[in-house]
Amino acid sequence: MKKTNFRSERMRILVVGGKGTIGQVIVGKLEKKHEVIIAGRTSGDVQVDLTEVASIERMFKKVGHVDAIVNASGAAKFQTIEAMTPEDNLVAVQSKLLGQINLVLIGQHYLLHDGSITLTTGIMKDDPIPGGASAAMANGGVAAFVKSAAIDFTQGIRINCVSPNVLEESYDAYQESFKGFVPVPAERVAMAYVKSIEGKQTGQEYKVY
Ligand SMILES: NC(=O)c1ccc[n+]([C@@H]2O[C@H](COP(=O)([O-])OP(=O)(O)OC[C@H]3O[C@@H](n4cnc5c(N)ncnc54)[C@H](OP(=O)(O)O)[C@@H]3O)[C@@H](O)[C@H]2O)c1
């Protein structure tokens, strides 16, 4: 049979943050074809707090091996630089930055051959908003980590990240900070995760702007 460039078989996919605004749309696209396990601090099938290494280890021991790991969660404190404290900045360091990187460092050992990892960054690293420097720092760190980590993986393992614009679904809450931005539908953002999971690319940052 002719080999395709896409994974068409049923996969076992872990989606951290799968009950969130972006996560639930990703899950909606995946669950028609694949087995999806949703993780969250309180929501989902299995509990995890990405800010704690022990919690990530406990989650993978429960879940076991998967074909794909997706993260659609991450917190940051929005604060102008003049008012920001080192403690404020730690929120993004521990959640968006180290939380996602630790998910990779621990999760890689639970990935099957040809598996994939898909992380989440965001537009504010490329298109700054007031008070967004801490989130931008974490987003930039994750994007650089993904690009570099991709060349180290063997066994066919791929890693990408998705950088969403502000979502139409979140715009009511965020519009004061995102003046002049043109929000994108979660549907479009979710397709970038599908490309990462079912496609063949690695080391990419999919900018859905
Ligand atoms: N919405 C947007 O417009 C937008 C745009 C660009 C980038 N992003 C980024 O995309 C990611 C998801 O955004 P969203 O709007 O979908 O968020 P959301 O609606 O708040 O959902 C976040 C999800 O993640 C889980 N979660 C939160 N903290 C967690 C932790 N420490 N460990 C494990 N799970 C955790 C939550 O479940 P529990 O409460 O059960 O933990 C929830 O299911 C965030 O990093 C965000 O910055 C969002």
Side-chain angles (χ1 to χ4, degrees), residues 25-209:
V25 184
I26 301 170
V27 169
K29 296 210 170 292
L30 296 174
E31 66 188 358
K32 294 173 198 136
K33 273 175 69 180
H34 306 291
E35 180 193 350
V36 178
I37 303 146
I38 296 174
R41 284 167 308 182
T42 55
S43 57
D45 309 309
V46 62
Q47 270 49 73
V48 67
D49 184 345
L50 287 194
T51 64
E52 291 174 23
V53 168
S55 175
I56 301 173
E57 283 167 345
R58 271 198 305 276
M59 170 185 66
F60 277 111
K61 278 190 187 130
K62 274 189 207 145
V63 170
H65 284 80
V66 291
D67 298 285
I69 299 168
V70 178
N71 178 53
S73 77
K77 182 113 186 230
F78 288 83
Q79 181 72 274
T80 60
I81 279 296
E82 289 174 341
M84 192 186 297
T85 64
E87 290 72 30
D88 291 334
N89 190 43
L90 266 185
V91 175
V93 169
Q94 282 168 347
S95 175
K96 272 180 179 288
L97 183 62
L98 290 187
Q100 297 205 85
I101 290 171
N102 289 335
L103 184 71
V104 174
L105 298 181
I106 298 164
Q108 63 177 329
H109 303 296
Y110 292 86
L111 264 185
L112 293 163
H113 200 276
D114 287 344
S116 70
I117 303 170
T118 311
L119 304 181
T120 299
T121 60
I123 191 171
M124 61 193 75
K125 74 183 231 308
D126 295 322
D127 202 352
I129 62 163
S134 186
M137 165 214 59
N139 287 340
V142 169
F145 174 83
V146 162
K147 188 174 184 179
S148 189
I151 68 166
D152 278 347
F153 279 122
T154 56
Q155 311 294 316
I157 290 179
R158 300 177 299 103
I159 182 167
N160 298 297
C161 57
V162 177
S163 181
N165 196 338
V166 62
L167 263 65
E168 285 176 357
E169 289 79 353
S170 307
Y171 197 56
D172 275 353
Y174 297 155
Q175 59 182 315
E176 281 308 309
S177 302
F178 286 90
K179 290 214 183 287
F181 284 65
V182 181
V184 296
E187 276 288 314
R188 246 192 82 201
V189 172
M191 289 308 287
Y193 292 84
V194 172
K195 185 191 275 184
S196 174
I197 297 161
E198 295 187 349
K200 293 285 261 188
Q201 297 179 3
T202 191
Q204 303 296 311
E205 183 182 22
Y206 300 116
K207 297 182 179 187
V208 188
Y209 302 163

